[in-house]
């Protein structure tokens, strides 16, 4: 119940890109910039990811994976809201994303699966592992 309430909290974000083949949002969460991006390749549907955007170190750009900076539930709330907006604007029938292992742990893939299964109710899930990465594909069932 608490997880659902937190994921339903509204994190203010800005749409930073909106074209026929790409959509992006950005928000400040816990003092960090989080960026959600989605790309449509036409055949495989929409591929989505999110990352922290680092601008204050000798390495700038997106940082994928665990940063240990906190505010994870607020980040996921922003991602869910961005997915909802993607769905409302583009009506995707297929969404893909990946989860990389954190060392030997696959807890990230388990978390992403659990959250995505909750969000994509009525969609068919397929997944496969390749090396340290779990690939997820959610396909909207025919109505």
């Amino acid at each position: 119940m608490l997880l659902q309430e937190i994921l339903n909290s509204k994190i203010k974000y800005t749409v930073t890109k909106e074209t026929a083949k790409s959509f992006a949002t950005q928000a400040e969460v816990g003092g960090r910039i989080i960026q959600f991006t989605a790309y449509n390749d036409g055949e495989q549907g929409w591929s989505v990811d999110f990352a922290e955007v680092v601008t204050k170190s000798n390495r700038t750009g997106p940082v994928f994976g665990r940063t240990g900076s906190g505010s994870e539930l607020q980040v996921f709330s922003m991602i869910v809201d961005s997915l909802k907006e993607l769905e409302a604007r583009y009506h995707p029938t297929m969404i893909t994303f990946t989860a990389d292992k954190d060392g030997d742990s696959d807890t990230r893939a388990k978390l992403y699966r659990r959250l995505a299964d909750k969000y994509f109710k009525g969609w068919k899930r397929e997944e496969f592992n390749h090396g340290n990465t779990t690939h997820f594909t959610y396909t909207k069932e025919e109505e």
Side-chain angles (χ1 to χ4, degrees):
M1 183 66 103
L2 179 61
L3 178 62
Q4 186 63 35
E5 288 174 17
I6 291 172
L7 289 178
N8 285 336
S9 65
K10 297 296 177 200
I11 302 297
K12 184 174 171 69
Y13 63 84
T14 304
V15 174
T16 57
K17 190 169 191 179
E18 180 183 10
T19 69
K21 295 204 173 260
S22 63
F23 176 75
T25 63
Q26 188 170 294
E28 183 176 336
V29 179
R32 302 174 295 144
I33 302 297
I34 305 298
Q35 183 174 13
F36 167 89
T37 55
Y39 302 98
N40 182 353
D41 71 3
E43 291 181 28
Q44 298 298 315
W46 288 84
S47 175
V48 301
D49 63 45
F50 66 96
E52 178 179 355
V53 179
V54 176
T55 59
K56 298 179 182 174
S57 69
N58 61 354
R59 178 179 174 221
T60 61
V63 175
F64 296 93
R66 186 174 155 189
T67 63
S69 301
S71 304
E72 296 87 357
L73 295 177
Q74 289 82 8
V75 169
F76 285 119
S77 178
M78 180 258 190
I79 300 309
V80 166
D81 287 346
S82 297
L83 278 169
K84 288 177 182 177
E85 186 154 352
L86 173 74
E87 189 170 12
R89 289 177 184 231
Y90 296 95
H91 312 289
T93 57
M94 182 186 300
I95 293 181
T96 63
F97 58 92
T98 61
D100 293 334
K101 282 187 178 180
D102 218 2
D104 289 333
S105 173
D106 64 347
T107 56
R108 182 175 294 130
K110 289 178 184 176
L111 174 63
Y112 288 8
R113 182 183 307 111
R114 203 165 96 203
L115 290 172
D117 283 352
K118 188 170 199 65
Y119 178 75
F120 293 115
K121 282 191 191 283
W123 293 50
K124 179 182 173 190
R125 173 176 40 98
E126 295 180 33
E127 66 181 82
F128 70 92
N129 294 310
H130 184 269
N132 287 333
T133 303
T134 302
H135 298 262
F136 294 93
T137 299
Y138 283 82
T139 306
K140 196 170 198 173
E141 298 290 337
E142 297 291 325
E143 293 181 8

